[in-house]
Amino acid sequence: MIRDKIIALKHISNESTITIRFNWAKILFYTFFMSYGYFGALTPNYHQFKHNILSSIITLCYLTLILICLGLIAWKASDRFQDVVNIEKRDIYVFGSYFAILSLFQYKQLQFSLFGDEIFYSTRAFVHGTQISLALARKTTMLDAVPFQYLVQIVSLLLLVSLLCLFFKRLDWKYRIIIFSVLLFFGRLIITAVAGNPSPHPPLSSFPPFIFGSLFGITDISCKLSYLTIYVFFTVVLYRMMLRVFDSFISYLLALAIGTIPLLWHLGAVVEQSLWTSICFTVVMVEIITSKKLNCLRLTCFISIATLMRQPSFLAIAPVIALFLAELIHLKDRKKWLYELSLLLAPTLLFIPYFVESLFRGYQKRIMGWNDPSDLFGHILSALDSDIILIAVLNSVPYWWVILIPFAFIPLSRNTVKKNVVFLLFLSITISVYYSIEPGGWGFGKYQAEYAVPFAISGMLFLALRLSVLKYVKHTMTVLISILILLNIADFVHIPQGNKKVDVLIDTYLDDAKKFDAGYRLLCAFPYNYHDAYETIKKNNLSENSYTMGVTYSWLPEVMNGYSAKAIRSISDIWKHQVELINEEHVNWTRGSVDTVERDNRINVVLLGHVVPNKQELIDQFKNRNWSVMGEYKNNSYGSTVVVMRRPLNE
């Protein structure tokens, strides 16, 4: 048997193409389970469940029913969801070369500590691992000296292996549906009993860090590499799409030109959900441009999964449905028409519960001003009346890409008219949605990566397709695309010089992003040197008595920087007590206060990095209470500072 397997592996390695067959319906089924079961999206905590028990039970039941429906589709109608991917040997070489080029210039960025929302998304990735590990650390002192990150990695790896065994176990689909439905139902009840997960952010974006952290360690760089690896894979997918309409060399250069767009490139090494919308919009639009016969069902499945990575991804379904209906308009059989439309929309079962809940009950409703519809339209009109849309794009997208955006809507041949019109409709929808949010978020670079960059890419492709039919143009295209790549690289390496010092920018970027060239340029994460600060705390044996102030969402940074199980046991209690005090005193949680810190005698050292607003004012307040500065840890390229302060020794 072993010999047969070795022969099979050798046979595969000698093939120039590896064929992978898969089923989208089955992927949707497992994705739903991971999102609403394992990660427990939309799970209320115990008090919320008790207060709204009828609503909570109804939600629990209808989510279970949706999982059953997706299971029945995978069981009974799987043929329509069959798909195949052919991987050629050259694709592996292309991936390796792209990864080498992109990571070479991103090396410094990959070394940065996680920042702000990056910590939040990564915390969710390891939430089960950290909670189980913390319970073990509380049960026994035998683990006190073990770095807590190793415990989390071991537990997370066991969970990952268990999930894979469950997914790949040979079972009849009837029993598979029953088992997964029971696990979803009772799993959500367990999550409710522990803490709940009412987060407004889609949960599936935490899956890549979960895999990489389980395999390579609970560290900042493993989380960042999980996103970068997928970003490089996305670039290879674009290369394969280009091969439909260009030769291999031009395809390679075009995909590399897209992969080195500075904003996308920067976002590719940031644990930020906006990357998924950028990828989703770009893949859908490039598929529409390059595909001879559009597979709308494949795209709907892809969009539905991407929506549980980042919610605005669902907007990409608009051009797909528009083109689908244009094809079906001549179909006279009404039953056939309705069946095909129903099948196309079936994958949206994946995200509809999450979308409806978050849009009408929570965070999305608040930030979009949906309590008062007039605010929503007022925001859009305000954006259209001002220059903010153009300013925001120019602050984050190089002008040589901005000038390509109009070509996404200009018919350069009769064959593209329908696509140009659909893309113009798509742009109108995305602009309306993005500028219906509260104005405070306008101008931030990650939003331009979502709604501007994909249209610049589409404009470039339409133009390249038009040029490619001309004689003797290959050398000219090669030169032009190469210049584009070099411009991208030069712009990327100068990102730090295009921004104010982070210590200043952190308090002003929301305003600066709405003004042209005011000191904010495309940054989606601000780099802080947390690593050296935590090393100082550990060397001084103060780990158990430390507290990190500001936007950290949890004590995951301490885990990633090597705190022991004993230290994590202590600081988790400190962190929980500080949350209670901050809520009690109505203190801004993104900043904290000297008073809440000094009320906990266990805290002997505080770390101040991403603290907003007015970090320096907070530092001065500590100094006035006789706290001393143990160290300042700077990122000289970006001008950020992490300050470690120690309580007076006589207290």
Side-chain angles (χ1 to χ4, degrees):
M1 185 178 293
I2 294 175
R3 183 174 178 274
D4 291 341
K5 288 183 179 179
I6 294 172
I7 291 172
L9 287 172
K10 286 183 178 178
H11 178 70
I12 291 172
S13 67
N14 288 329
E15 293 288 338
S16 60
T17 302
I18 299 172
T19 299
I20 300 174
R21 301 184 186 278
F22 63 96
N23 188 284
W24 283 106
K26 294 176 181 178
I27 292 175
L28 293 172
F29 176 79
Y30 294 133
T31 300
F32 191 94
F33 173 78
M34 285 298 301
S35 300
Y36 300 95
Y38 180 81
F39 288 116
L42 306 179
T43 306
N45 59 39
Y46 177 75
H47 296 293
Q48 291 170 329
F49 189 94
K50 189 176 179 180
H51 182 69
N52 299 294
I53 189 165
L54 180 61
S55 174
S56 299
I57 291 174
I58 291 173
T59 299
L60 182 61
C61 291
Y62 86 69
L63 287 173
T64 306
L65 286 173
I66 290 175
L67 181 66
I68 292 171
C69 288
L70 290 172
L72 290 173
I73 293 172
W75 182 20
K76 298 293 187 179
S78 62
D79 290 348
R80 291 293 300 271
F81 291 87
Q82 287 296 132
D83 212 336
V84 61
V85 171
N86 294 315
I87 301 175
E88 300 180 6
K89 276 190 175 180
R90 66 177 176 182
D91 297 333
I92 299 171
Y93 300 138
V94 169
F95 179 91
S97 64
Y98 284 165
F99 191 91
I101 294 168
L102 296 175
S103 62
L104 175 65
F105 290 96
Q106 279 182 322
Y107 178 76
K108 286 186 178 180
Q109 187 179 339
L110 290 170
Q111 309 302 312
F112 297 158
S113 300
L114 296 182
F115 161 88
D117 286 352
E118 290 185 290
I119 300 172
F120 174 78
Y121 301 136
S122 300
T123 297
R124 288 199 310 176
F126 309 115
V127 62
H128 300 318
T130 52
Q131 293 302 316
I132 293 171
S133 298
L134 184 59
L136 290 172
R138 293 191 188 281
K139 290 289 185 182
T140 177
T141 58
M142 293 177 61
L143 301 172
D144 280 3
V146 178
F148 193 76
Q149 62 190 156
Y150 295 161
L151 296 180
V152 177
Q153 182 183 1
I154 291 169
V155 174
S156 298
L157 184 59
L158 289 173
L159 290 170
L160 178 61
V161 171
S162 299
L163 286 168
L164 292 175
C165 290
L166 190 61
F167 292 162
F168 291 105
K169 184 175 177 60
R170 291 191 175 184
L171 284 172
D172 288 337
W173 265 95
K174 176 173 63 177
Y175 299 114
R176 189 178 296 274
I177 293 169
I178 293 171
I179 290 171
F180 277 86
S181 299
V182 170
L183 288 173
L184 178 101
F185 189 92
F186 288 103
R188 290 180 65 84
L189 290 177
I190 293 170
I191 292 172
T192 290
V194 174
N197 180 18
S199 169
H201 300 287
L204 207 60
S205 62
S206 298
F207 194 50
F210 168 59
I211 294 175
F212 271 65
S214 300
L215 296 175
F216 306 116
I218 313 301
T219 61
D220 300 287
I221 194 170
S222 68
C223 292
K224 288 177 177 289
L225 280 172
S226 70
Y227 272 53
L228 177 61
T229 302
I230 291 174
Y231 181 71
V232 176
F233 178 74
F234 153 70
T235 311
V236 176
V237 169
L238 293 180
Y239 159 75
R240 286 294 302 269
M241 292 169 135
M242 303 295 177
L243 287 174
R244 299 168 178 166
V245 289
F246 301 106
D247 65 39
S248 59
F249 185 65
I250 294 297
S251 297
Y252 182 90
L253 290 178
L254 282 171
L256 184 59
I258 295 169
T260 55
I261 295 174
L263 177 56
L264 275 189
W265 196 0
H266 165 68
L267 201 56
V270 176
V271 185
E272 166 54 55
Q273 288 191 342
S274 293
L275 176 66
W276 303 109
T277 307
S278 303
I279 289 174
C280 178
F281 286 4
T282 302
V283 167
V284 169
M285 295 176 77
V286 173
E287 178 73 7
I288 289 171
I289 293 170
T290 62
S291 178
K292 293 180 180 177
K293 182 173 177 57
L294 198 63
N295 187 332
C296 292
L297 185 57
R298 173 197 292 163
L299 288 179
T300 307
C301 292
F302 172 72
I303 293 165
S304 298
I305 294 169
T307 300
L308 286 182
M309 296 283 197
R310 166 80 168 161
Q311 200 161 290
S313 299
F314 85 94
L315 296 172
I317 207 165
V320 176
I321 290 177
L323 292 170
F324 180 79
L325 293 177
E327 291 295 323
L328 285 188
I329 199 168
H330 302 297
L331 192 64
K332 295 181 180 180
D333 188 339
R334 184 60 60 88
K335 289 184 178 179
K336 176 71 172 175
W337 191 92
L338 289 173
Y339 173 77
E340 292 296 330
L341 183 60
S342 300
L343 192 67
L344 179 73
L345 295 177
T348 63
L349 286 170
L350 191 65
F351 68 81
I352 281 178
Y354 197 94
F355 176 74
V356 171
E357 286 280 333
S358 62
L359 189 61
F360 293 105
R361 294 191 185 182
Y363 177 75
Q364 298 293 342
K365 182 178 178 180
R366 177 173 59 80
I367 68 167
M368 295 181 73
W370 280 38
N371 289 312
D372 185 349
S374 64
D375 288 344
L376 185 150
F377 295 108
H379 293 159
I380 298 171
L381 292 174
S382 176
L384 293 174
D385 287 341
S386 68
D387 296 325
I388 181 60
I389 299 175
L390 181 60
I391 288 171
V393 172
L394 290 174
N395 278 340
S396 293
V397 184
Y399 66 85
W400 51 89
W401 283 99
V402 174
I403 61 177
L404 292 171
I405 293 176
F407 290 101
F409 321 113
I410 299 173
L412 298 177
S413 75
R414 273 187 267 180
N415 296 330
T416 69
V417 173
K418 187 193 300 183
K419 297 174 183 178
N420 295 128
V421 171
V422 167
F423 285 175
L424 185 59
L425 172 66
F426 185 31
L427 178 68
S428 302
I429 293 171
T430 56
I431 291 289
S432 298
V433 169
Y434 278 100
Y435 283 93
S436 65
I437 66 172
E438 287 290 342
W442 293 356
F444 203 22
K446 65 181 183 180
Y447 298 131
Q448 322 316 314
E450 293 177 304
Y451 78 79
V453 170
F455 291 95
I457 293 169
S458 299
M460 179 194 70
L461 288 183
F462 279 129
L463 186 60
L465 282 170
R466 182 57 182 165
L467 291 175
S468 66
V469 300
L470 304 177
K471 291 184 178 181
Y472 315 115
V473 79
K474 181 177 179 179
H475 296 301
T476 303
M477 286 184 66
T478 300
V479 172
L480 291 175
I481 300 169
S482 299
I483 291 173
L484 200 61
I485 293 169
L486 292 175
L487 286 171
N488 288 344
I489 293 172
D491 195 55
F492 181 81
V493 299
H494 284 91
I495 288 175
Q497 290 76 28
N499 289 278
K500 293 178 180 177
K501 290 183 177 180
V502 166
D503 285 339
V504 176
L505 185 60
I506 195 67
D507 284 325
T508 66
Y509 75 92
L510 290 177
D511 290 326
D512 295 337
K514 300 182 187 71
K515 304 170 186 173
F516 180 65
D517 199 23
Y520 169 79
R521 187 169 167 278
L522 75 75
L523 279 183
C524 300
F526 299 153
Y528 285 93
N529 185 6
Y530 283 120
H531 177 74
D532 289 347
Y534 284 119
E535 283 300 310
T536 296
I537 293 172
K538 288 191 295 180
K539 286 178 182 177
N540 284 274
N541 297 317
L542 291 167
S543 302
E544 297 171 36
N545 304 100
S546 64
Y547 173 61
T548 303
M549 303 185 72
V551 186
T552 61
Y553 295 101
S554 72
W555 32 266
L556 183 67
E558 286 87 342
V559 175
M560 290 184 163
N561 283 279
Y563 273 34
S564 67
K566 184 180 180 182
I568 293 297
R569 190 169 62 230
S570 173
I571 68 161
S572 64
D573 291 335
I574 290 173
W575 192 83
K576 182 179 179 181
H577 185 49
Q578 283 298 305
V579 171
E580 292 170 353
L581 291 175
I582 285 170
N583 292 333
E584 179 184 310
E585 299 293 333
H586 303 290
V587 173
N588 187 343
W589 70 274
T590 64
R591 186 172 186 268
S593 79
V594 179
D595 291 332
T596 59
V597 168
E598 290 198 329
R599 285 176 61 179
D600 193 333
N601 291 325
R602 294 171 296 181
I603 301 175
N604 288 328
V605 62
V606 294
L607 184 151
L608 299 97
H610 179 200
V611 175
V612 288
N614 303 320
K615 181 169 75 175
Q616 187 56 50
E617 181 182 288
L618 188 61
I619 293 170
D620 292 339
Q621 289 173 3
F622 273 107
K623 288 179 178 179
N624 291 337
R625 303 284 183 92
N626 296 320
W627 286 61
S628 59
V629 176
M630 283 184 64
E632 294 185 347
Y633 307 92
K634 297 182 179 292
N635 182 306
N636 292 322
S637 297
Y638 286 88
S640 65
T641 307
V642 176
V643 179
V644 177
M645 304 196 74
R646 185 167 185 171
R647 187 191 289 266
L649 295 177
N650 59 349
E651 292 189 12

